[in-house]
Amino acid sequence: MSPEAGATQLPVPRHVAIVMDGNGRWAQERGLPRSEGHRAGAVAVQRTVEACRELGIRYLTLYAFSTENWQRPPAEIRALMGLLREFLDNRLDDLVRQGVRLNVIGQIERLPRLVRSRLERVMARTANGTQGTLTLALSYGARAEITAAARALAEEVRAGKLAPKDITEQALAARLQTASLPDPDLVIRTAGEKRLSNFLLWQLSYAEFWFTDLCWPDFDREVLRQALDEFGRRQRRFGGLVHA
Ligand code: FPP
């Protein structure tokens, strides 16, 4: 993704991760059913993918459905899965044209077959994209992801392929579903809540946090630019010291 002409000279995050919250509240404030909030949220997803490309962000990861979201009423889950299918059907050509590769993290096997087949199709068709990577976290939970990585390491030790001393941070990170992605530099959460909700707990260790009271359907390029401006002005020390 190439930065637009005249864009700020401040550092641009390579990887932005977003907790898209507040679809329900957005709908409630307008006297609409929650599903309409999710529909408007899907439009905001499309806007944000385009804005990231224009602003030079190479990796975008969106928390679209958590392992905990399975507890929602079946009708709401059906509506969300329907929107996901529509998104994958309608945006495929754009993603290919823009050179954006689709990637998915989470317990994909729990998703309905019709969603899985579309995900597989879009991932295959966009696999050669070199301009950016859009990762959807679907049926995703960070604790489950870390647990699975620990189990994989234990199995390799039991099989004699790995010695316990070789269990390093790098070895664990390589067994996470995000192994091919850089850690996020910036995490954004909308709708006023200030928590991580089991999102990328390992990968966000050194990320900058940015919050807005706006609900996700109101998120747009201008809001993203505000977040990027603030990110660009922060000093990231990664636990060390910054020398003038
Ligand atoms: C949080 O709002 C949002 C979700 C649980 C789902 C996010 C889904 C979308 C943005 C639309 C579909 C996604 C794609 C990728 C096309 P909430 O329902 O928890 O809002 P509330 O806290 O106000 O109730």
Side-chain angles (χ1 to χ4, degrees), residues 116-181:
R116 278 199 325 261
S117 60
R118 279 166 172 86
L119 283 169
E120 280 156 17
R121 183 166 78 112
V122 178
M123 284 193 288
R125 288 278 309 281
T126 62
N128 294 327
T130 56
Q131 299 305 297
T133 301
L134 167 64
T135 300
L136 297 181
L138 292 168
S139 189
Y140 175 84
R143 288 184 173 184
E145 183 193 28
I146 296 169
T147 305
R151 194 179 305 120
L153 288 169
E155 278 166 9
E156 288 172 52
V157 169
R158 188 175 61 175
K161 293 183 194 156
L162 196 73
K165 70 169 174 38
D166 296 327
I167 299 179
T168 58
E169 289 186 13
Q170 289 75 8
L172 194 139
R175 283 149 186 89
L176 296 173
Q177 291 188 297
T178 50
S180 66
L181 308 173

Short mmCIF file of all heavy atoms in Angstrom, two decimals, residues 116-181:
data_model
loop_
_atom_site.label_atom_id
_atom_site.label_comp_id
_atom_site.label_asym_id
_atom_site.label_seq_id
_atom_site.Cartn_x
_atom_site.Cartn_y
_atom_site.Cartn_z
N ARG A 116 -16.88 -20.60 5.55
CA ARG A 116 -15.53 -21.19 5.37
C ARG A 116 -15.18 -21.32 3.89
O ARG A 116 -14.07 -20.99 3.47
CB ARG A 116 -15.48 -22.58 6.02
CG ARG A 116 -15.23 -22.53 7.50
CD ARG A 116 -14.73 -23.85 8.05
NE ARG A 116 -15.27 -25.03 7.42
CZ ARG A 116 -16.26 -25.77 7.90
NH1 ARG A 116 -16.84 -25.42 9.03
NH2 ARG A 116 -16.66 -26.86 7.28
N SER A 117 -16.15 -21.78 3.10
CA SER A 117 -15.83 -21.98 1.68
C SER A 117 -15.51 -20.64 1.01
O SER A 117 -14.62 -20.55 0.18
CB SER A 117 -16.97 -22.71 0.96
OG SER A 117 -18.14 -21.94 1.06
N ARG A 118 -16.23 -19.60 1.41
CA ARG A 118 -15.94 -18.28 0.81
C ARG A 118 -14.58 -17.75 1.28
O ARG A 118 -13.83 -17.15 0.53
CB ARG A 118 -17.04 -17.30 1.16
CG ARG A 118 -18.22 -17.47 0.23
CD ARG A 118 -19.41 -16.75 0.77
NE ARG A 118 -20.49 -16.75 -0.19
CZ ARG A 118 -21.39 -17.73 -0.30
NH1 ARG A 118 -21.30 -18.82 0.45
NH2 ARG A 118 -22.37 -17.64 -1.17
N LEU A 119 -14.30 -17.96 2.55
CA LEU A 119 -12.98 -17.52 3.06
C LEU A 119 -11.88 -18.19 2.26
O LEU A 119 -10.90 -17.56 1.84
CB LEU A 119 -12.84 -17.88 4.54
CG LEU A 119 -13.59 -16.99 5.53
CD1 LEU A 119 -13.56 -17.62 6.92
CD2 LEU A 119 -12.98 -15.58 5.59
N GLU A 120 -12.04 -19.51 2.05
CA GLU A 120 -11.00 -20.25 1.33
C GLU A 120 -10.85 -19.71 -0.10
O GLU A 120 -9.75 -19.55 -0.60
CB GLU A 120 -11.33 -21.75 1.33
CG GLU A 120 -10.93 -22.40 2.65
CD GLU A 120 -11.70 -23.67 2.96
OE1 GLU A 120 -12.31 -24.24 2.03
OE2 GLU A 120 -11.70 -24.07 4.14
N ARG A 121 -12.01 -19.40 -0.70
CA ARG A 121 -11.97 -18.89 -2.08
C ARG A 121 -11.25 -17.54 -2.13
O ARG A 121 -10.37 -17.31 -2.96
CB ARG A 121 -13.40 -18.74 -2.60
CG ARG A 121 -13.49 -18.30 -4.04
CD ARG A 121 -14.89 -18.51 -4.57
NE ARG A 121 -15.79 -17.46 -4.10
CZ ARG A 121 -16.33 -16.53 -4.88
NH1 ARG A 121 -16.08 -16.53 -6.16
NH2 ARG A 121 -17.13 -15.63 -4.40
N VAL A 122 -11.63 -16.64 -1.23
CA VAL A 122 -11.03 -15.30 -1.26
C VAL A 122 -9.54 -15.38 -0.90
O VAL A 122 -8.70 -14.70 -1.51
CB VAL A 122 -11.79 -14.32 -0.32
CG1 VAL A 122 -11.12 -12.95 -0.33
CG2 VAL A 122 -13.25 -14.20 -0.74
N MET A 123 -9.19 -16.23 0.05
CA MET A 123 -7.76 -16.36 0.41
C MET A 123 -6.96 -16.88 -0.78
O MET A 123 -5.86 -16.41 -1.07
CB MET A 123 -7.59 -17.25 1.64
CG MET A 123 -7.98 -16.52 2.92
SD MET A 123 -7.46 -17.39 4.40
CE MET A 123 -8.57 -18.76 4.42
N ALA A 124 -7.53 -17.86 -1.48
CA ALA A 124 -6.82 -18.43 -2.64
C ALA A 124 -6.68 -17.37 -3.74
O ALA A 124 -5.60 -17.20 -4.31
CB ALA A 124 -7.55 -19.67 -3.16
N ARG A 125 -7.76 -16.64 -4.00
CA ARG A 125 -7.73 -15.67 -5.10
C ARG A 125 -6.84 -14.46 -4.78
O ARG A 125 -6.36 -13.79 -5.70
CB ARG A 125 -9.15 -15.17 -5.41
CG ARG A 125 -10.04 -16.20 -6.09
CD ARG A 125 -9.80 -16.26 -7.61
NE ARG A 125 -9.85 -14.94 -8.25
CZ ARG A 125 -10.96 -14.28 -8.57
NH1 ARG A 125 -12.14 -14.83 -8.33
NH2 ARG A 125 -10.91 -13.10 -9.16
N THR A 126 -6.66 -14.14 -3.50
CA THR A 126 -5.87 -12.95 -3.16
C THR A 126 -4.45 -13.30 -2.70
O THR A 126 -3.69 -12.41 -2.30
CB THR A 126 -6.55 -12.13 -2.03
OG1 THR A 126 -6.64 -12.94 -0.86
CG2 THR A 126 -7.94 -11.65 -2.44
N ALA A 127 -4.12 -14.60 -2.77
CA ALA A 127 -2.84 -15.06 -2.18
C ALA A 127 -1.62 -14.34 -2.73
O ALA A 127 -0.61 -14.22 -2.04
CB ALA A 127 -2.71 -16.57 -2.38
N ASN A 128 -1.70 -13.85 -3.96
CA ASN A 128 -0.52 -13.21 -4.56
C ASN A 128 -0.49 -11.70 -4.33
O ASN A 128 0.38 -11.01 -4.85
CB ASN A 128 -0.46 -13.49 -6.06
CG ASN A 128 -0.23 -14.96 -6.31
OD1 ASN A 128 0.45 -15.63 -5.53
ND2 ASN A 128 -0.84 -15.49 -7.37
N GLY A 129 -1.43 -11.18 -3.56
CA GLY A 129 -1.47 -9.73 -3.29
C GLY A 129 -0.20 -9.29 -2.57
O GLY A 129 0.23 -9.93 -1.62
N THR A 130 0.37 -8.18 -3.04
CA THR A 130 1.64 -7.73 -2.45
C THR A 130 1.52 -6.34 -1.82
O THR A 130 2.49 -5.82 -1.28
CB THR A 130 2.75 -7.66 -3.53
OG1 THR A 130 2.28 -6.81 -4.58
CG2 THR A 130 3.10 -9.03 -4.08
N GLN A 131 0.34 -5.73 -1.91
CA GLN A 131 0.20 -4.35 -1.43
C GLN A 131 -0.20 -4.25 0.04
O GLN A 131 -0.05 -3.20 0.65
CB GLN A 131 -0.80 -3.60 -2.30
CG GLN A 131 -0.39 -3.51 -3.75
CD GLN A 131 0.99 -2.89 -3.91
OE1 GLN A 131 1.20 -1.74 -3.56
NE2 GLN A 131 1.93 -3.68 -4.41
N GLY A 132 -0.77 -5.31 0.58
CA GLY A 132 -1.18 -5.26 1.98
C GLY A 132 -1.85 -6.56 2.39
O GLY A 132 -2.19 -7.38 1.53
N THR A 133 -1.99 -6.73 3.70
CA THR A 133 -2.62 -7.94 4.22
C THR A 133 -3.76 -7.55 5.15
O THR A 133 -3.55 -6.83 6.12
CB THR A 133 -1.59 -8.80 4.99
OG1 THR A 133 -0.53 -9.14 4.10
CG2 THR A 133 -2.21 -10.08 5.54
N LEU A 134 -4.95 -8.03 4.82
CA LEU A 134 -6.11 -7.84 5.68
C LEU A 134 -6.34 -9.16 6.43
O LEU A 134 -6.59 -10.19 5.80
CB LEU A 134 -7.35 -7.51 4.84
CG LEU A 134 -8.69 -7.59 5.57
CD1 LEU A 134 -8.77 -6.55 6.70
CD2 LEU A 134 -9.86 -7.40 4.60
N THR A 135 -6.21 -9.11 7.75
CA THR A 135 -6.46 -10.31 8.55
C THR A 135 -7.77 -10.15 9.29
O THR A 135 -7.96 -9.16 10.01
CB THR A 135 -5.31 -10.55 9.55
OG1 THR A 135 -4.09 -10.71 8.81
CG2 THR A 135 -5.55 -11.78 10.40
N LEU A 136 -8.68 -11.11 9.12
CA LEU A 136 -9.92 -11.11 9.89
C LEU A 136 -9.76 -12.09 11.03
O LEU A 136 -9.42 -13.26 10.81
CB LEU A 136 -11.10 -11.53 9.00
CG LEU A 136 -11.43 -10.62 7.82
CD1 LEU A 136 -12.64 -11.17 7.06
CD2 LEU A 136 -11.72 -9.18 8.30
N ALA A 137 -9.99 -11.61 12.26
CA ALA A 137 -9.99 -12.50 13.41
C ALA A 137 -11.43 -12.96 13.59
O ALA A 137 -12.32 -12.17 13.89
CB ALA A 137 -9.49 -11.76 14.65
N LEU A 138 -11.66 -14.27 13.36
CA LEU A 138 -13.02 -14.82 13.34
C LEU A 138 -13.07 -16.02 14.27
O LEU A 138 -12.24 -16.92 14.14
CB LEU A 138 -13.38 -15.26 11.93
CG LEU A 138 -13.54 -14.14 10.89
CD1 LEU A 138 -13.61 -14.72 9.49
CD2 LEU A 138 -14.80 -13.34 11.19
N SER A 139 -14.03 -16.02 15.17
CA SER A 139 -14.08 -17.06 16.19
C SER A 139 -12.69 -17.11 16.85
O SER A 139 -12.11 -18.17 17.04
CB SER A 139 -14.45 -18.41 15.59
OG SER A 139 -14.68 -19.34 16.62
N TYR A 140 -12.17 -15.92 17.13
CA TYR A 140 -10.80 -15.78 17.62
C TYR A 140 -10.79 -15.50 19.12
O TYR A 140 -11.61 -14.73 19.63
CB TYR A 140 -10.08 -14.63 16.90
CG TYR A 140 -8.71 -14.37 17.47
CD1 TYR A 140 -7.63 -15.12 17.05
CD2 TYR A 140 -8.52 -13.42 18.49
CE1 TYR A 140 -6.37 -14.92 17.61
CE2 TYR A 140 -7.27 -13.22 19.05
CZ TYR A 140 -6.19 -13.97 18.60
OH TYR A 140 -4.96 -13.79 19.17
N GLY A 141 -9.85 -16.11 19.81
CA GLY A 141 -9.59 -15.80 21.22
C GLY A 141 -8.11 -15.99 21.45
O GLY A 141 -7.53 -17.01 21.08
N ALA A 142 -7.47 -14.99 22.05
CA ALA A 142 -6.01 -15.05 22.21
C ALA A 142 -5.59 -16.16 23.17
O ALA A 142 -4.58 -16.82 22.94
CB ALA A 142 -5.50 -13.70 22.72
N ARG A 143 -6.36 -16.38 24.23
CA ARG A 143 -5.95 -17.44 25.17
C ARG A 143 -5.99 -18.80 24.49
O ARG A 143 -5.10 -19.63 24.69
CB ARG A 143 -6.83 -17.41 26.41
CG ARG A 143 -6.54 -16.21 27.28
CD ARG A 143 -7.35 -16.27 28.55
NE ARG A 143 -6.94 -15.21 29.46
CZ ARG A 143 -7.43 -15.05 30.68
NH1 ARG A 143 -8.36 -15.87 31.12
NH2 ARG A 143 -7.01 -14.06 31.44
N ALA A 144 -7.01 -19.03 23.68
CA ALA A 144 -7.09 -20.31 22.94
C ALA A 144 -5.92 -20.43 21.98
O ALA A 144 -5.33 -21.51 21.83
CB ALA A 144 -8.42 -20.39 22.18
N GLU A 145 -5.56 -19.33 21.35
CA GLU A 145 -4.44 -19.35 20.39
C GLU A 145 -3.12 -19.68 21.09
O GLU A 145 -2.34 -20.52 20.63
CB GLU A 145 -4.33 -17.97 19.71
CG GLU A 145 -3.25 -17.92 18.66
CD GLU A 145 -2.93 -16.49 18.21
OE1 GLU A 145 -3.11 -15.54 19.00
OE2 GLU A 145 -2.49 -16.33 17.06
N ILE A 146 -2.89 -19.04 22.25
CA ILE A 146 -1.64 -19.29 22.99
C ILE A 146 -1.63 -20.72 23.53
O ILE A 146 -0.60 -21.41 23.51
CB ILE A 146 -1.46 -18.24 24.11
CG1 ILE A 146 -1.30 -16.84 23.49
CG2 ILE A 146 -0.25 -18.59 24.99
CD1 ILE A 146 -1.38 -15.68 24.49
N THR A 147 -2.79 -21.17 24.00
CA THR A 147 -2.88 -22.54 24.52
C THR A 147 -2.55 -23.55 23.43
O THR A 147 -1.82 -24.52 23.66
CB THR A 147 -4.31 -22.80 25.07
OG1 THR A 147 -4.60 -21.80 26.04
CG2 THR A 147 -4.43 -24.16 25.72
N ALA A 148 -3.07 -23.32 22.23
CA ALA A 148 -2.80 -24.25 21.12
C ALA A 148 -1.31 -24.25 20.78
O ALA A 148 -0.73 -25.31 20.50
CB ALA A 148 -3.63 -23.85 19.90
N ALA A 149 -0.68 -23.08 20.85
CA ALA A 149 0.76 -23.01 20.55
C ALA A 149 1.55 -23.76 21.62
O ALA A 149 2.50 -24.49 21.29
CB ALA A 149 1.20 -21.54 20.49
N ALA A 150 1.14 -23.63 22.88
CA ALA A 150 1.83 -24.35 23.97
C ALA A 150 1.67 -25.85 23.78
O ALA A 150 2.61 -26.63 23.97
CB ALA A 150 1.27 -23.90 25.32
N ARG A 151 0.47 -26.25 23.37
CA ARG A 151 0.21 -27.69 23.16
C ARG A 151 1.08 -28.20 22.01
O ARG A 151 1.66 -29.29 22.10
CB ARG A 151 -1.27 -27.91 22.85
CG ARG A 151 -1.70 -29.35 22.95
CD ARG A 151 -3.19 -29.53 22.66
NE ARG A 151 -4.03 -28.70 23.49
CZ ARG A 151 -4.89 -27.78 23.05
NH1 ARG A 151 -5.03 -27.57 21.75
NH2 ARG A 151 -5.61 -27.06 23.88
N ALA A 152 1.20 -27.41 20.95
CA ALA A 152 2.02 -27.84 19.80
C ALA A 152 3.48 -28.01 20.24
O ALA A 152 4.14 -29.00 19.86
CB ALA A 152 1.92 -26.80 18.68
N LEU A 153 3.96 -27.08 21.06
CA LEU A 153 5.34 -27.21 21.55
C LEU A 153 5.50 -28.48 22.40
O LEU A 153 6.47 -29.22 22.25
CB LEU A 153 5.71 -25.98 22.39
CG LEU A 153 5.93 -24.67 21.62
CD1 LEU A 153 6.01 -23.50 22.59
CD2 LEU A 153 7.20 -24.74 20.78
N ALA A 154 4.51 -28.73 23.27
CA ALA A 154 4.59 -29.91 24.15
C ALA A 154 4.63 -31.18 23.30
O ALA A 154 5.39 -32.12 23.59
CB ALA A 154 3.39 -29.93 25.09
N GLU A 155 3.82 -31.21 22.25
CA GLU A 155 3.80 -32.41 21.40
C GLU A 155 5.13 -32.61 20.69
O GLU A 155 5.60 -33.74 20.56
CB GLU A 155 2.63 -32.34 20.42
CG GLU A 155 1.35 -32.79 21.10
CD GLU A 155 0.08 -32.45 20.33
OE1 GLU A 155 0.19 -32.01 19.17
OE2 GLU A 155 -1.01 -32.63 20.92
N GLU A 156 5.75 -31.50 20.28
CA GLU A 156 7.05 -31.63 19.61
C GLU A 156 8.12 -32.11 20.59
O GLU A 156 9.00 -32.89 20.23
CB GLU A 156 7.46 -30.29 18.99
CG GLU A 156 6.63 -29.97 17.77
CD GLU A 156 6.89 -28.56 17.24
OE1 GLU A 156 8.06 -28.22 17.02
OE2 GLU A 156 5.91 -27.80 17.07
N VAL A 157 8.02 -31.67 21.84
CA VAL A 157 8.98 -32.14 22.86
C VAL A 157 8.76 -33.63 23.10
O VAL A 157 9.70 -34.42 23.11
CB VAL A 157 8.84 -31.33 24.17
CG1 VAL A 157 9.64 -31.98 25.30
CG2 VAL A 157 9.30 -29.88 23.96
N ARG A 158 7.49 -34.01 23.24
CA ARG A 158 7.20 -35.43 23.48
C ARG A 158 7.70 -36.30 22.33
O ARG A 158 8.20 -37.40 22.54
CB ARG A 158 5.70 -35.65 23.68
CG ARG A 158 5.39 -37.07 24.13
CD ARG A 158 3.95 -37.28 24.46
NE ARG A 158 3.10 -37.03 23.30
CZ ARG A 158 1.80 -37.23 23.29
NH1 ARG A 158 1.19 -37.65 24.38
NH2 ARG A 158 1.10 -36.99 22.20
N ALA A 159 7.58 -35.78 21.10
CA ALA A 159 8.02 -36.55 19.93
C ALA A 159 9.55 -36.52 19.76
O ALA A 159 10.08 -37.10 18.82
CB ALA A 159 7.34 -36.01 18.68
N GLY A 160 10.23 -35.81 20.64
CA GLY A 160 11.69 -35.74 20.57
C GLY A 160 12.21 -34.79 19.50
O GLY A 160 13.40 -34.81 19.17
N LYS A 161 11.29 -33.95 18.95
CA LYS A 161 11.74 -33.03 17.88
C LYS A 161 12.28 -31.73 18.44
O LYS A 161 12.87 -30.93 17.71
CB LYS A 161 10.55 -32.70 16.96
CG LYS A 161 10.04 -33.88 16.17
CD LYS A 161 8.92 -33.40 15.26
CE LYS A 161 8.14 -34.56 14.68
NZ LYS A 161 6.79 -34.15 14.29
N LEU A 162 12.01 -31.47 19.70
CA LEU A 162 12.36 -30.18 20.30
C LEU A 162 12.79 -30.43 21.74
O LEU A 162 12.18 -31.25 22.44
CB LEU A 162 11.09 -29.30 20.29
CG LEU A 162 11.24 -27.81 20.51
CD1 LEU A 162 11.86 -27.15 19.27
CD2 LEU A 162 9.87 -27.19 20.78
N ALA A 163 13.85 -29.73 22.17
CA ALA A 163 14.28 -29.85 23.56
C ALA A 163 13.62 -28.72 24.36
O ALA A 163 13.41 -27.62 23.81
CB ALA A 163 15.80 -29.72 23.65
N PRO A 164 13.29 -28.95 25.63
CA PRO A 164 12.65 -27.88 26.42
C PRO A 164 13.43 -26.58 26.37
O PRO A 164 12.86 -25.50 26.35
CB PRO A 164 12.60 -28.47 27.83
CG PRO A 164 12.52 -29.95 27.61
CD PRO A 164 13.35 -30.22 26.39
N LYS A 165 14.77 -26.67 26.30
CA LYS A 165 15.56 -25.42 26.26
C LYS A 165 15.34 -24.62 24.97
O LYS A 165 15.66 -23.45 24.89
CB LYS A 165 17.06 -25.72 26.45
CG LYS A 165 17.70 -26.42 25.28
CD LYS A 165 19.21 -26.45 25.44
CE LYS A 165 19.92 -27.25 24.38
NZ LYS A 165 19.43 -27.20 23.01
N ASP A 166 14.77 -25.30 23.97
CA ASP A 166 14.51 -24.59 22.70
C ASP A 166 13.15 -23.90 22.70
O ASP A 166 12.74 -23.31 21.69
CB ASP A 166 14.59 -25.57 21.52
CG ASP A 166 16.00 -26.13 21.37
OD1 ASP A 166 16.95 -25.37 21.67
OD2 ASP A 166 16.14 -27.30 21.00
N ILE A 167 12.43 -23.98 23.81
CA ILE A 167 11.15 -23.26 23.88
C ILE A 167 11.45 -21.81 24.25
O ILE A 167 11.58 -21.44 25.41
CB ILE A 167 10.19 -23.91 24.90
CG1 ILE A 167 9.89 -25.35 24.46
CG2 ILE A 167 8.89 -23.11 24.99
CD1 ILE A 167 8.98 -26.11 25.39
N THR A 168 11.60 -21.02 23.21
CA THR A 168 11.91 -19.60 23.37
C THR A 168 10.69 -18.77 22.98
O THR A 168 9.70 -19.31 22.47
CB THR A 168 13.06 -19.22 22.42
OG1 THR A 168 12.62 -19.54 21.09
CG2 THR A 168 14.32 -19.99 22.73
N GLU A 169 10.78 -17.46 23.18
CA GLU A 169 9.69 -16.59 22.74
C GLU A 169 9.47 -16.74 21.24
O GLU A 169 8.34 -16.79 20.76
CB GLU A 169 10.02 -15.12 23.06
CG GLU A 169 9.98 -14.84 24.54
CD GLU A 169 10.16 -13.35 24.86
OE1 GLU A 169 10.09 -12.52 23.93
OE2 GLU A 169 10.38 -13.04 26.04
N GLN A 170 10.57 -16.85 20.50
CA GLN A 170 10.45 -16.98 19.04
C GLN A 170 9.77 -18.29 18.68
O GLN A 170 8.96 -18.34 17.75
CB GLN A 170 11.84 -16.93 18.38
CG GLN A 170 12.51 -15.58 18.38
CD GLN A 170 13.10 -15.18 19.75
OE1 GLN A 170 13.13 -16.00 20.68
NE2 GLN A 170 13.51 -13.95 19.87
N ALA A 171 10.11 -19.36 19.43
CA ALA A 171 9.52 -20.67 19.12
C ALA A 171 8.02 -20.64 19.37
O ALA A 171 7.23 -21.19 18.59
CB ALA A 171 10.19 -21.75 19.97
N LEU A 172 7.60 -19.98 20.45
CA LEU A 172 6.16 -19.90 20.71
C LEU A 172 5.47 -19.02 19.66
O LEU A 172 4.45 -19.41 19.08
CB LEU A 172 5.88 -19.39 22.12
CG LEU A 172 4.43 -19.62 22.54
CD1 LEU A 172 4.32 -20.10 23.98
CD2 LEU A 172 3.56 -18.40 22.34
N ALA A 173 6.08 -17.87 19.37
CA ALA A 173 5.48 -16.94 18.39
C ALA A 173 5.32 -17.62 17.03
O ALA A 173 4.33 -17.38 16.32
CB ALA A 173 6.33 -15.69 18.26
N ALA A 174 6.26 -18.51 16.71
CA ALA A 174 6.20 -19.18 15.41
C ALA A 174 5.05 -20.17 15.33
O ALA A 174 4.69 -20.62 14.24
CB ALA A 174 7.52 -19.90 15.14
N ARG A 175 4.50 -20.54 16.49
CA ARG A 175 3.37 -21.48 16.49
C ARG A 175 2.03 -20.80 16.71
O ARG A 175 1.00 -21.45 16.86
CB ARG A 175 3.62 -22.58 17.53
CG ARG A 175 4.64 -23.59 16.98
CD ARG A 175 5.48 -24.22 18.07
NE ARG A 175 6.53 -25.07 17.49
CZ ARG A 175 7.75 -24.63 17.16
NH1 ARG A 175 8.08 -23.37 17.30
NH2 ARG A 175 8.65 -25.47 16.67
N LEU A 176 2.04 -19.47 16.75
CA LEU A 176 0.78 -18.72 16.81
C LEU A 176 0.23 -18.58 15.39
O LEU A 176 0.99 -18.70 14.42
CB LEU A 176 1.01 -17.33 17.43
CG LEU A 176 1.46 -17.32 18.89
CD1 LEU A 176 1.82 -15.89 19.32
CD2 LEU A 176 0.39 -17.90 19.81
N GLN A 177 -1.06 -18.29 15.30
CA GLN A 177 -1.65 -18.16 13.96
C GLN A 177 -1.16 -16.91 13.24
O GLN A 177 -1.37 -16.76 12.04
CB GLN A 177 -3.17 -18.12 14.08
CG GLN A 177 -3.75 -19.46 14.50
CD GLN A 177 -5.26 -19.43 14.42
OE1 GLN A 177 -5.91 -18.66 15.12
NE2 GLN A 177 -5.82 -20.26 13.56
N THR A 178 -0.52 -16.03 13.98
CA THR A 178 -0.03 -14.78 13.40
C THR A 178 1.45 -14.89 13.01
O THR A 178 2.10 -13.86 12.78
CB THR A 178 -0.15 -13.65 14.45
OG1 THR A 178 0.42 -14.13 15.67
CG2 THR A 178 -1.60 -13.27 14.69
N ALA A 179 1.97 -16.12 12.95
CA ALA A 179 3.42 -16.30 12.74
C ALA A 179 3.94 -15.53 11.53
O ALA A 179 5.08 -15.07 11.53
CB ALA A 179 3.74 -17.78 12.60
N SER A 180 3.11 -15.35 10.51
CA SER A 180 3.60 -14.69 9.30
C SER A 180 3.43 -13.17 9.34
O SER A 180 3.75 -12.48 8.36
CB SER A 180 2.86 -15.24 8.08
OG SER A 180 1.50 -14.87 8.17
N LEU A 181 2.89 -12.64 10.43
CA LEU A 181 2.61 -11.20 10.51
C LEU A 181 3.56 -10.51 11.49
O LEU A 181 3.91 -11.10 12.52
CB LEU A 181 1.18 -10.96 11.01
CG LEU A 181 0.04 -11.68 10.31
CD1 LEU A 181 -1.27 -11.44 11.05
CD2 LEU A 181 -0.07 -11.19 8.87
#
